[in-house]
Amino acid sequence: MMLALLAPAAQAAAAAPEINVGAELLRVVLSLAGIIALIFAAGWLSKRLQARTTPGGRRIRCVETLAVGARDRVLLLEANGKRLLVGVGQGGLRTLHVFDGEVATNDEAAPPAAPAPAPGFAELLARWKRTP
């Protein structure tokens, strides 16, 4: 009686198709590689589309920002060839000063001072040994 119950289960196991593990693993790996390639392609396309600007370009540019308080800032803006000093606070925006004359291009501006060279490893080690 026990044999009669196990016989259909044994026949079903024998009739089940063999699974090719190598082929299935290759299919999964290729699918994963395809999805990763699609993610990179979407990122590249997104960056490419965001880089496009309007035909005239931007007319307002923030040159520099300085925080003067917890919620207050001073902005140096460049708009249509003029520079404006604007204060930003809880009360809103306020124009502090409009600079007259043409804006100096990067070629005319003085080059920034070179930063001090970083100390070498031997010098850092010597300093470390001297400190108690």
Side-chain angles (χ1 to χ4, degrees), residues 22-81:
E24 286 296 315
L25 182 63
L26 181 65
R27 184 181 65 84
V28 169
V29 168
L30 289 178
S31 298
L32 183 62
I35 290 171
I36 291 172
L38 283 174
I39 290 171
F40 279 113
W44 176 79
L45 184 64
S46 172
K47 186 183 282 188
R48 179 105 187 203
L49 290 176
Q50 287 177 357
R52 294 186 182 182
T53 59
T54 57
R58 290 188 170 180
R59 296 186 307 175
I60 298 176
R61 182 173 70 97
C62 182
V63 178
E64 195 169 341
T65 303
L66 176 68
V68 292
R71 295 184 182 181
D72 301 326
R73 296 189 178 281
V74 176
L75 305 173
L76 181 61
L77 301 176
E78 185 177 305
N80 290 334

